[in-house]
Amino acid sequence: MTKIDFSSFKHQINLTQYAAYLGYEIDRKKSTRNSIAMRKGSKDKIIISKRSGNWIYFSVYDDQDSGTIVDFIKNRTSKSLFEISQELQVWISGNIALPEPTKYVGHVEERQPDPRRIQRLFNYCTPACGHEYLKNRGITAEALKSPRFSGRVFQDRFNNAVFPHFKEKQVCALELKGKNIDLFVGGSEKTLWRSNTRKGDDTLIISETPIDALSYQILHALRSAFYTSTCGGFSPLQSDIIRKLVTDLSWVNKVILITDNDDGGDAITGRLNNIVTSTNYTGSLTRHSPNVRGLDWNDVLRNRLGI
């Protein structure tokens, strides 16, 4: 039997183009020049990028769903590797009706972590103590200055809210939030956003976004809970970081998942449940989402404040 060489498929076939052919749509607000977010309905969201010249992806909702275009097809169909190779050969030969150029991204730059650039940009940031965008989301100056969140939320020279991520105590990623911006700065290596921990803490709360974490604390005024956020859908690397965090924090006896009350929140909750239960953690694990379908905790806060 002739051995199939999949290497050419993995770097020649634009995965955003192939996904668009299958009906996936670009989420431009969540995409950057290095990372393309695409959705198919409300139950499947993928992040596409390039590594070592190959197109790769991971599912926001399923830790087992990641890899190259071959894995992408295998995880969504019952096709054999031989059948997959036949289909991809058609793409290589150009004998297929391609989607319109507006429906995919022709060029994606390979992501290269640039810690020096991130540190340089972070040096220009100042603590966000009365930020207008955050104020409009119900996040008060008092909350930002509190011992739980002081030094964890910043603003840049363009007045965007900045949520830093750290790796080995060094800043490694900057997430920007503003009226017209929602992205990670180029050169970022995404880990997790975290609040401060305090003596006596016994509860870890995991949110989808830092703003949800801040909102939840304002609403519930918990005294012994600290927060971490995945900042949207999370990669396999972030799964490992969450797993290590839960494993290392032996003094935590409660984990609460404050995910959104929607399909995406349901899927992320499932992933987080799997991660936490795969560790030696023996405490309680619960989900606390808003009561109304479609809401997140910032929606609840703004509704309560009439914003």
Side-chain angles (χ1 to χ4, degrees):
M1 180 180 291
T2 303
K3 184 178 180 180
I4 302 170
D5 181 7
F6 287 98
S7 60
S8 61
F9 302 142
K10 295 175 182 179
H11 72 263
Q12 287 187 37
I13 297 176
N14 183 329
L15 188 47
T16 70
Q17 188 182 61
Y18 185 87
Y21 174 77
L22 296 184
Y24 286 77
E25 298 180 344
I26 299 173
D27 184 344
R28 298 192 182 278
K29 190 175 181 180
K30 297 292 186 179
S31 298
T32 69
R33 61 187 181 183
N34 309 109
S35 176
I36 310 302
M38 300 187 77
R39 298 177 181 270
K40 190 174 184 180
S42 60
K43 296 183 180 296
D44 195 2
K45 180 180 178 181
I46 58 174
I47 307 297
I48 297 173
S49 59
K50 296 188 78 174
R51 184 176 64 202
S52 301
N54 290 332
W55 292 88
I56 58 173
Y57 82 101
F58 70 85
S59 168
V60 170
Y61 303 140
D62 184 355
D63 272 342
Q64 305 305 311
D65 186 8
S66 63
T68 67
I69 190 170
V70 177
D71 303 292
F72 181 76
I73 300 172
K74 185 172 64 175
N75 290 333
R76 285 159 179 76
T77 70
S78 58
K79 293 179 179 178
S80 67
L81 287 177
F82 178 72
E83 290 170 327
I84 292 173
S85 71
Q86 287 183 311
E87 178 173 338
L88 295 180
Q89 187 57 51
V90 173
W91 276 79
I92 290 286
S93 64
N95 295 322
I96 196 164
L98 300 176
E100 297 178 7
T102 56
K103 296 186 179 297
Y104 63 91
V105 178
H107 175 70
V108 175
E109 294 183 13
E110 287 204 35
R111 183 189 299 275
Q112 297 292 339
D114 189 348
R116 289 185 178 181
R117 178 174 191 265
I118 297 303
Q119 182 64 63
R120 185 171 65 252
L121 293 174
F122 187 54
N123 290 341
Y124 288 105
C125 295
T126 56
C129 297
H131 193 273
E132 190 65 24
Y133 169 77
L134 294 177
K135 180 180 178 182
N136 290 335
R137 301 292 295 268
I139 308 303
T140 62
E142 289 73 19
L144 296 170
K145 294 177 183 177
S146 70
R148 183 65 67 194
F149 298 110
S150 177
R152 295 294 176 170
V153 185
F154 295 80
Q155 62 188 47
D156 64 12
R157 291 177 293 175
F158 304 100
N159 208 35
N160 298 306
V162 179
F163 298 93
H165 293 209
F166 292 87
K167 178 181 179 181
E168 298 176 354
K169 298 183 179 181
Q170 299 296 316
V171 64
C172 62
L174 300 174
E175 183 184 22
L176 307 186
K177 293 276 189 178
K179 184 177 180 180
N180 298 307
I181 193 168
D182 181 4
L183 53 79
F184 278 86
V185 170
S188 291
E189 182 180 2
K190 187 177 174 184
T191 56
L192 299 171
W193 175 85
R194 303 184 193 185
S195 73
N196 297 310
T197 55
R198 305 180 67 193
K199 185 178 180 180
D201 285 348
D202 61 9
T203 301
L204 167 62
I205 299 182
I206 306 177
S207 69
E208 294 186 44
T209 70
I211 288 178
D212 284 338
L214 287 154
S215 301
Y216 193 86
Q217 179 61 23
I218 292 171
L219 288 164
H220 297 93
L222 302 179
R223 297 179 62 86
S224 59
F226 69 101
Y227 296 83
T228 190
S229 172
T230 64
C231 297
F234 50 99
S235 67
L237 172 62
Q238 287 175 284
S239 296
D240 292 339
I241 295 172
I242 296 169
R243 188 174 292 107
K244 186 176 187 304
L245 176 66
V246 173
T247 300
D248 290 348
L249 300 179
S250 58
W251 41 270
V252 168
N253 56 45
K254 297 178 186 177
V255 175
I256 304 175
L257 312 178
I258 59 168
T259 48
D260 303 348
N261 188 348
D262 56 20
D263 290 341
D266 295 343
I268 289 176
T269 298
R271 287 186 67 191
L272 290 171
N273 269 311
N274 290 337
I275 291 169
V276 175
T277 55
S278 72
T279 70
N280 58 3
Y281 173 73
T282 58
S284 67
L285 172 61
T286 58
R287 177 184 183 180
H288 188 200
S289 296
N291 292 328
V292 179
R293 193 67 173 172
L295 297 187
D296 60 34
W297 284 109
N298 187 243
D299 294 325
V300 175
L301 176 62
R302 287 186 291 124
N303 288 343
R304 180 172 295 186
L305 296 174
I307 299 177

